[in-house]
């Protein structure tokens, strides 16, 4: 019997298939149980069906429904209660960061300035910070 369990359930939402695969792999390597979603509509369907991830990592710039709209729906419908939400985006203006945080995100990582490994480490740091509060 192995002691190695998946430590955290994470929902990764990104419309870029290459990045989605890469982030899924990096999170899996750190013992995350990864659910990947290629868009916010697909992610909302999963959440509405009762999926309760511990962590949601969401891009902002996506077709159909952007990450801000997704966060508004999640907040308004009371989906993923208690989930730690981290925005992973190339939008990095202070107004974007402030808007994301006001919609319930606890972290904001700018894609262009973080490698996938750094993204996973920042998510882990945020999880640990939250656990100590």
């Amino acid at each position: 019997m192995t002691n190695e369990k998946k430590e955290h359930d994470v929902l990764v939402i990104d419309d870029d298939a290459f990045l989605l695969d890469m982030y899924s792999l990096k999170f899996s390597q750190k013992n995350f149980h990864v659910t990947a979603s290629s868009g916010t509509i697909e992610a909302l369907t999963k959440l509405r069906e009762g999926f309760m991830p511990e962590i949601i990592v969401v891009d902002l710039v996506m077709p159909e429904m952007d990450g801000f709209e997704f966060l508004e729906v999640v907040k308004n419908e009371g989906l993923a209660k208690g989930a730690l939400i981290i925005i992973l985006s190339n939008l990095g203006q202070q107004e974007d960061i402030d808007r994301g945080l006001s919609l319930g995100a606890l972290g904001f990582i700018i894609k262009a300035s973080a490698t996938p490994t750094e993204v996973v480490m920042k998510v882990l740091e945020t999880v640990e910070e939250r656990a100590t509060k």
Side-chain angles (χ1 to χ4, degrees), residues 13 15 39-41 44 58-74 89 91 96 99 103:
I13 309 164
D15 62 316
T40 49
I41 303 292
L44 278 175
V58 61
D59 186 12
L60 292 176
V61 180
M62 284 187 276
E64 296 177 15
M65 174 190 284
D66 70 25
F68 290 123
E69 292 171 286
F70 169 80
L71 292 175
E72 286 175 19
V73 172
V74 166
S89 180
L91 294 181
D96 296 320
R99 184 175 175 201
L103 289 169

Side-chain angles (χ1 to χ4, degrees), residues 3 5 22 25-26 61 83 87 101 112 124:
N3 271 346
K5 69 176 189 69
M22 187 169 49
L25 176 65
K26 292 293 181 185
V61 180
I87 294 170
L101 297 176
L124 278 170

Side-chain angles (χ1 to χ4, degrees), residues 73-84:
V73 172
V74 166
K75 188 176 180 178
N76 292 339
E77 292 186 18
L79 300 169
K81 283 194 187 295
L84 186 153

Side-chain angles (χ1 to χ4, degrees), residues 84-96:
L84 186 153
I85 299 171
I86 297 177
I87 294 170
L88 177 62
S89 180
N90 276 324
L91 294 181
Q93 300 296 322
Q94 191 60 50
E95 66 218 42
D96 296 320

Side-chain angles (χ1 to χ4, degrees), residues 13 16 31 50 70 102 106 113 132:
I13 309 164
D16 182 315
N31 291 330
F70 169 80
S102 74
L106 291 178
S113 62
T132 59

